[in-house]
Amino acid sequence: MAVYAITGGAGFIGSHLADDLLADGHHVRVLDDLSTGRRSQVDSRSDLIVADVCDTAALARLLDGADAVFHLAAIASVIRSNEDWIGTNRVNLGGTVAVLEVARRAGGIPVVYASSAAIYGNQPGPADEALTPAPRSAYGADKFGSEMHAGIAFSVHAVPTFGVRFFNVYGPRQDPRSPYSGVISIFAERIAHQERLVIHGDGRQLRDFVYVDDAVRHLRAGLRLLQDAPRAAVVNVCTGSGTSILELARTIGQISGKRPDIEFAPAREGDIRLSIGDPARARALLGISANTSLQDGLAATLASKLPIAV
Ligand SMILES: NC(=O)c1ccc[n+]([C@@H]2O[C@H](COP(=O)([O-])OP(=O)(O)OC[C@H]3O[C@@H](n4cnc5c(N)ncnc54)[C@H](O)[C@@H]3O)[C@@H](O)[C@H]2O)c1
């Protein structure tokens, strides 16, 4: 049995990771300020520290005797990052540096952390890790900054780090307010109540939807890689194929057995047309891929209880 620390472990991806680690008999410690995460999503077998991710004393308690830390706490909102630049920078970049520093003080505990497809900005085709990042939001810039500091953590302080650039992760417990895949919960809820769906723009914008179990497998495989050979690495977590928002609405309609009624609204300012990743590096380094089909992932998501009414 190992002891794993998770920042943001009361959130969407973090709570799925915690469940997976617990199911394998490990001990899980969660640090979360419960700002978007929920206490009800923290399994009673885990320890919960309610604290800010920049609080180094709380982080020291979280990491005391831990075998590794998964750092997922962040304010995962592009809109908020542009409105509250200083506040989100404190959490999204400052929080990462705090986790890396406490991992260093604890003797070089491996850190697996969430980066984001947002670091790529607008790209003409599938993004691979060799591309120069060009974030278009403070959120993306902070994720890119986190990767830079994670590189320093290894080269200067010998703290092994593994960054996962998540594309649009979806699954049960998805918060409809999530800027990534909240659209799935919203569409599902509206279709169930025979309400009209509102699509911004022409609905042909493409996203790379990754089922949450696949995201968890990448996080755990990233840690195994660090344990085999310490390093600083970053990979995309994506399927490599794009789904348009229109196609998404139709697929949810098919699974629900209801035909969606769609209304088009003006495109949102700064909406990215295409966000698709190239999964080759993850496959080569980790030997796995995000292979849950959209059909299966959506069916599992719709079969689960939505966290809050929309
Ligand atoms: N969901 C996606 O598709 C996606 C895509 C790219 C990157 N990510 C990244 O993955 C990670 C997890 O995202 P998620 O979708 O589970 O989001 P989430 O909002 O469900 O989880 C984030 C967790 O961090 C906690 N948190 C926020 N600020 C905190 C603070 N100051 N101190 C302590 N805890 C704090 C929240 O309460 C929440 O439980 C984030 O780093 C996010 O940026 C997610």
Side-chain angles (χ1 to χ4, degrees):
M1 185 192 81
V3 178
Y4 292 119
I6 309 177
T7 73
F12 166 50
I13 300 173
S15 64
H16 281 276
L17 171 66
D19 288 352
D20 198 57
L21 294 167
L22 286 165
D24 283 349
H26 298 300
H27 187 78
V28 171
R29 254 184 236 153
V30 168
L31 180 142
D32 201 297
D33 72 350
L34 303 178
S35 52
T36 59
R38 290 151 209 271
R39 195 180 283 272
S40 61
Q41 289 182 169
V42 180
D43 190 287
S44 57
R45 288 167 293 173
S46 332
D47 300 322
L48 171 63
I49 300 173
V50 179
D52 188 278
V53 70
C54 301
D55 177 342
T56 50
L59 283 172
R61 277 188 281 133
L62 180 78
L63 267 58
D64 185 29
D67 293 278
V69 55
F70 294 93
H71 170 49
L72 303 175
I75 299 174
S77 165
V78 165
I79 294 171
R80 258 194 78 188
S81 79
N82 290 334
E83 285 166 356
D84 179 13
W85 195 352
I86 294 175
T88 54
N89 171 263
R90 186 190 73 82
V91 173
N92 292 349
L93 183 57
T96 302
V97 175
V99 169
L100 294 169
E101 163 64 4
V102 175
R104 177 184 77 86
R105 288 186 208 156
I109 294 177
V111 180
V112 179
Y113 64 97
S115 182
S116 168
I119 66 143
Y120 289 117
N122 249 336
Q123 300 285 349
D128 69 45
E129 296 86 346
L131 283 172
T132 304
R136 288 162 56 91
S137 61
Y139 170 74
D142 285 337
K143 288 295 189 185
F144 185 40
S146 294
E147 292 186 2
M148 298 290 96
H149 282 277
I152 298 299
F154 183 63
S155 61
V156 179
H157 302 295
V159 177
T161 60
F162 191 84
V164 290
R165 292 179 178 170
F166 288 134
F167 279 66
N168 288 66
V169 184
Y170 71 98
R173 299 179 205 154
Q174 181 89 60
D175 189 328
R177 291 165 301 186
S178 161
Y180 287 106
S181 311
V183 63
I184 291 176
S185 313
I186 295 169
F187 282 3
E189 187 80 6
R190 288 188 163 261
I191 290 173
H193 293 100
Q194 310 268 35
E195 288 166 4
R196 185 173 292 176
L197 309 185
V198 179
I199 291 183
H200 291 270
D202 61 7
R204 293 182 204 286
Q205 53 274 53
L206 295 174
R207 297 289 178 269
D208 191 329
F209 289 105
V210 179
Y211 189 56
V212 67
D213 288 359
D214 289 332
V216 167
R217 285 194 303 119
H218 281 76
L219 287 164
R220 293 194 60 181
L223 176 60
R224 283 194 295 274
L225 190 80
L226 294 184
Q227 287 169 334
D228 285 350
R231 67 185 79 196
V234 176
V235 301
N236 286 342
V237 177
C238 57
T239 66
S241 48
T243 301
S244 74
I245 301 302
L246 266 178
E247 212 178 316
L248 182 73
R250 291 198 189 110
T251 311
I252 295 175
Q254 273 165 16
I255 295 169
S256 321
K258 290 182 180 136
R259 203 185 157 82
D261 179 14
I262 297 170
E263 174 189 324
F264 291 92
R268 284 201 177 111
E269 180 76 23
D271 197 15
I272 288 176
R273 286 297 293 168
L274 177 148
S275 177
I276 303 173
D278 179 343
R281 186 192 281 184
R283 207 180 294 133
L285 266 183
L286 307 175
I288 59 170
S289 56
N291 53 11
T292 306
S293 71
L294 187 67
Q295 193 80 23
D296 288 352
L298 283 177
T301 306
L302 300 195
S304 70
K305 200 173 158 294
L306 294 173
I308 54 172
V310 189

